[in-house]
Amino acid sequence: MSGDLKPRDEKNLSESIKMAAAAKMPLIVSGAGSKSGIGRPNGYAMSVTTQRMQGISLYEPTELVIGALPGTPLSEINQTLATQNQMLPFEPMDYRPIFGGRHEPTIGGIAAGNVSGPRRIMAGACRDSLIGIRLVNGRGDVVKSGGRVMKNVTGLDLVKLNCGAWGTLGVFSEVIFKVLPKPECASSLALRGLNDATAIAALTTALGSPFSVSAAAHLPKGVMSEPLTIVRIEGFAPSVAYGCGELAKLLGPYGKADLLEEEVGTDIWSDVRDARWLADPAESAIWRLSLAPSKASGIVAHIGRVLDTRHFYDWGGGLVWLAVNASEDAGSKVIRDAMRGLNGHATLLRAPPQVRSKVDIFEPLPPSLADLTRRIKFAFDPDRILNFGKMYSGI
C-alpha cells in the first residue's frame, strides 16, 4: 500500500484506519498540513488526511456552541461565528508564517495541537473550550466523548486527553467548542524601552489588576526597533476606556503607557499570535518555552550567552518564543539543560529534518510518565499506526 487516504466522512475514515491496521501500515495523520513541519520526520508510505471532511455540523448561538467536521477551515468557523458576533475564545495561532505553508489551518488540526494564542491568559487554552469530540482510534473504532451543549457534557477527561495529542491516539471526525461573544472594544497600552525583567514585572502588575487584560507580551529589541511592552484590554467601550486610564496610572512606575492606535494594536497582536517576527530566516530553529514568568528573563539571558538567539514573550512572560541559528542540534542541549528543574517545558517547533530526526520535540518525559503515555497509546492504538514516534521517541 502507498499513497494518501482521503476519507470523505467518519465511516470512510473508520474503514481506512481499519485497513491500515490490518496491514500494520503506519499512518501520518494530518488536516490541511499547515503544521506538517512539527514533529519527527518519517518515511511512512501512507498518510490519512481529513481535509475532505468539511462542514459545520452544529451551531447553536444561544447555547454558545459550534461543532464542525475536522477538515473545516478555521476561516469558515470564524466567518460563521462572526454572523452572530461570536468567536473562539482561545485565539488560535496560524502556523503558516513560520512554516511557509499555503493551506489554511483546519479546526481538527487546531484541536489536535491544542493551538492557543495570546488570549489564553484570560480565556484558557483550546482544550478549555473543547467540550465534545468524535474520533476514530487506531483500531478503526468510533469513540464519542463530551457533549453537544454545555448542560449535557460528559466524558470531558477523554476530550482533554485527545486535545493536544497530535493525532497519536485517534483521528477526530467531529469537534465541538463552546464560544463567547466578541468583545465590543479592544485597546492596547504600550510601555517603551524596558529590559526583559522589568517588562515582565510590568506585565505581572497588569495581569494582577481588575481591568480585563486579555493579552500581555514583551517584544525586545531584535524583533522590534526598540523594546515594546504591550497589554490588551477588551470589553464594553466605557469599561475599556476606564480600564486603560486606570491601568496607565498603575503602570506609572514603569514609565509612560501610551495608547496604541486600534489598527496598530490589531496588527501587533496578530504578529504575536503567529510569531511572525521569527519566521525569517527560514533555516533557523524555533522553540517555545513554557515556564514561570519570574524565571523567564533569566533563562533567556542564560541561553543567549551560549547561543545566537532572538526572542519575545507572550502570556505575561510565561511563554517564550525563541529562534536559534541553525546548528547540529538546534541548541537542544543548552535549552534542555537550562530548563531542567523549572517545572516547565520546551518544544522544538521548527528545525531542519536532520535535526528533528534526532532531537526530542517535546520535553523528555520522566520514566513514570513515559510508561503511562505508552500504556495510553496502546489502549487507543494497539498496533501503533497513528503518528507513532512523531512526538516522543518510542511512543
Side-chain angles (χ1 to χ4, degrees):
M1 267 189 297
S2 63
D4 294 337
L5 299 173
K6 299 178 180 179
R8 299 178 301 276
D9 53 32
E10 184 180 80
K11 180 181 178 182
N12 198 203
L13 175 62
S14 173
E15 292 169 346
S16 297
I17 293 179
K18 284 179 179 178
M19 177 184 66
K24 300 293 190 292
M25 173 62 69
L27 295 173
I28 303 167
V29 179
S30 70
S34 63
K35 298 180 288 300
S36 59
I38 300 176
R40 294 176 179 274
N42 51 60
Y44 292 170
M46 184 176 290
S47 67
V48 56
T49 173
T50 59
Q51 196 170 12
R52 293 175 65 186
M53 297 173 63
Q54 296 189 16
I56 291 173
S57 57
L58 165 76
Y59 184 35
E60 295 287 348
T62 57
E63 295 284 352
L64 296 174
V65 293
I66 191 168
L69 304 187
T72 308
L74 179 61
S75 60
E76 183 177 338
I77 302 292
N78 289 335
Q79 289 164 11
T80 299
L81 292 173
T83 64
Q84 300 296 321
N85 201 35
Q86 294 177 344
M87 66 178 186
L88 293 171
F90 49 93
E91 201 171 2
M93 175 186 181
D94 185 342
Y95 278 94
R96 283 178 292 180
I98 64 174
F99 286 117
R102 297 180 296 103
H103 298 295
E104 279 194 61
T106 62
I107 193 64
I110 296 293
N114 188 31
V115 180
S116 313
R119 198 180 287 110
R120 184 190 191 282
I121 57 171
M122 181 182 77
C126 174
R127 64 163 46 96
D128 298 306
S129 293
L130 186 63
I131 63 170
I133 60 171
R134 292 177 67 92
L135 64 83
V136 179
N137 65 18
R139 297 183 178 91
D141 299 331
V142 176
V143 178
K144 175 183 177 296
S145 185
R148 295 173 70 87
V149 291
M150 283 299 297
K151 59 190 176 186
N152 186 29
V153 173
T154 57
L156 273 179
D157 288 347
L158 193 58
V159 174
K160 309 304 184 193
L161 180 67
N162 280 274
C163 186
W166 293 96
T168 59
L169 304 180
V171 183
F172 289 125
S173 55
E174 183 185 36
V175 290
I176 300 171
F177 288 94
K178 65 180 179 182
V179 301
L180 288 179
K182 277 188 176 180
E184 178 182 279
C185 178
S187 293
S188 298
L189 288 173
L191 295 161
R192 302 177 191 277
L194 301 184
N195 63 41
D196 288 10
T198 305
I200 290 174
L203 295 178
T204 300
T205 298
L207 289 169
S209 76
F211 302 122
S212 301
V213 172
S214 67
H218 175 60
L219 315 172
K221 188 173 182 179
V223 297
M224 304 291 283
S225 58
E226 64 172 333
L228 194 67
T229 307
I230 53 175
V231 295
R232 183 178 65 193
I233 296 179
E234 294 180 317
F236 294 108
S239 176
V240 169
Y242 173 78
C244 285
E246 292 302 304
L247 188 56
K249 295 176 187 175
L250 186 63
L251 294 174
Y254 301 99
K256 183 178 182 297
D258 299 320
L259 191 65
L260 295 179
E261 294 180 14
E262 183 177 352
E263 185 175 339
V264 173
T266 299
D267 289 344
I268 285 180
W269 287 115
S270 174
D271 290 344
V272 169
R273 182 195 68 198
D274 300 339
R276 196 175 297 269
W277 296 289
L278 305 186
D280 296 320
E283 63 271 14
S284 62
I286 297 178
W287 292 82
R288 281 171 48 120
L289 315 183
S290 179
L291 70 168
S294 60
K295 304 289 186 183
S297 63
I299 292 301
V300 169
H302 171 78
I303 294 170
R305 284 191 287 269
V306 182
L307 302 173
D308 183 10
T309 66
R310 288 177 298 126
H311 69 279
F312 71 91
Y313 303 86
D314 198 2
W315 302 351
L319 175 64
V320 180
W321 285 94
L322 190 70
V324 180
N325 279 0
S327 66
E328 186 176 341
D329 71 344
S332 175
K333 185 178 188 311
V334 173
I335 292 170
R336 298 287 185 211
D337 287 348
M339 292 290 289
R340 188 170 292 119
L342 294 181
N343 293 320
H345 58 265
T347 304
L348 179 59
L349 281 185
R350 187 184 81 179
Q354 66 271 21
V355 174
R356 289 187 287 119
S357 65
K358 59 186 178 181
V359 171
D360 288 316
I361 304 303
F362 286 139
E363 193 73 24
L365 296 172
S368 58
L369 282 179
D371 180 62
L372 177 60
T373 303
R374 288 189 191 94
R375 285 187 281 138
I376 291 172
K377 171 71 169 173
F378 180 80
F380 279 84
D381 181 22
D383 295 313
R384 299 192 295 183
I385 64 167
L386 300 177
N387 276 348
F388 174 67
K390 185 174 177 63
M391 295 298 157
Y392 292 107
S393 178
I395 296 176

